[in-house]
Amino acid sequence: MVNPVPLEARGVSYAYAPGHWAVRNVDLDLPAGARIALLGANGAGKSTLLLLLSGAEHLCHGEIFLHGTRAERSRAGLRRWRREVGLLLQDPEDQLLAPTVEQDVAFGPLQDGVEETQARKLVGQALSDMAIPHLATRPVHELSLGEKKRVALAGLLVQAPAVLLLDEPTAGLDPGGVRALREILHTLSQAGTAVILATHDVDFAYEWATEVCVLFQGGILARGVPAGVLADREMLTHASLEPPLLLEAALAISGPPPLPRSRAEFREWARPTRRVFP
């Protein structure tokens, strides 16, 4: 039976130098289909935590479990870890390796020994899932930032990971790119993929996430449902964050729960009593 929590972190800690902790004693469960946003100021530990969860960095303390089994750093263990957990870096160029889109997305399956004909099928499906089949033959260096992020994400999805980790995925994207990314990530979570992303974008986190975790000096300062955590202005100020605009507006109007989490929901929520700002 497949473990319903594909990734678990227990007491995870990491120091860049003795006494300089980047991540401190973090416990985190990523159940299937989860949508978790990591929020925090620069230096709070978000990116480092993702690297630890992906196996790209060694733990100083703690343990990570994949489908209930302790993750190992042996050659076979790391291969399994990286197949189960995909990491999208903030700059997609850091993980785009091949001349064309199709070649880049095929890299992982071919390295794992997948036969070329089957690899092509997997690549075609991944590009279709990312709504970019038209980019298959395009040179990677000709792509926009948003297209490069989709290609890098397709290169992870072709491996069918149980967990996706994304570092600042909305950085540099225009509003249309952010909307497209939100829809893609929502579809992936509905299909059972656990998605956790690090972001400064509290508005994106409020609309998209089922759970938010606020990091401060490497530890978890607050966690829970977005409307609860992100309404705590005192805590957010302590963490050098601002509350989401939609949530602030809804609280200012003092309307009934559940509070709206998107612009469309806000318009419907505000209409019945024709609420207006004072």
Side-chain angles (χ1 to χ4, degrees), residues 102-255:
E102 192 172 43
Q103 290 171 318
D104 193 89
V105 178
F107 182 82
L110 293 175
Q111 287 293 302
D112 282 346
V114 176
E115 191 270 333
E116 188 171 347
T117 301
Q118 178 62 18
R120 283 203 190 99
K121 291 181 180 178
L122 294 174
V123 169
Q125 184 60 55
L127 294 179
S128 178
D129 290 343
M130 290 294 99
I132 52 171
H134 58 288
L135 298 180
T137 60
R138 284 273 298 279
V140 168
H141 71 271
E142 293 182 357
L143 303 177
S144 69
L145 176 61
E147 289 170 336
K148 287 177 180 177
K149 288 195 175 188
R150 287 200 188 198
V151 171
L153 189 51
L156 299 176
L157 293 184
V158 76
Q159 303 280 71
V163 179
L164 276 175
L165 315 174
L166 302 95
D167 193 1
E168 297 289 352
T170 63
L173 297 183
D174 59 25
V178 173
R179 282 194 302 272
L181 177 67
R182 184 169 54 240
E183 291 169 4
I184 288 167
L185 298 183
H186 189 77
T187 298
L188 290 172
S189 71
Q190 286 184 317
T193 305
V195 183
I196 180 169
L197 59 84
T199 183
H200 290 100
D201 190 341
V202 292
D203 294 294
F204 182 92
Y206 177 63
E207 180 171 354
W208 172 81
T210 55
E211 179 181 0
V212 295
C213 294
V214 178
L215 294 186
F216 180 74
Q217 296 182 350
I220 295 180
L221 180 64
R223 65 190 303 174
V225 296
V229 173
L230 298 179
D232 187 342
R233 178 175 283 278
E234 183 177 350
M235 181 276 298
L236 292 176
T237 299
H238 183 66
S240 299
L241 296 170
E242 292 286 340
L245 184 58
L246 278 180
L247 179 58
E248 271 203 306
L251 292 174
I253 295 172
S254 301

Side-chain angles (χ1 to χ4, degrees), residues 7 50 53-54 80-89 95 152-153 155-157 159-167 193-196:
L7 185 66
L50 293 186
L53 295 175
S54 73
R80 173 178 179 253
W81 198 337
R82 289 164 185 168
R83 190 164 51 243
E84 293 281 355
V85 182
L87 172 63
L88 180 69
L89 300 173
Q95 60 194 108
L153 189 51
L156 299 176
L157 293 184
Q159 303 280 71
V163 179
L164 276 175
L165 315 174
L166 302 95
D167 193 1
T193 305
V195 183
I196 180 169

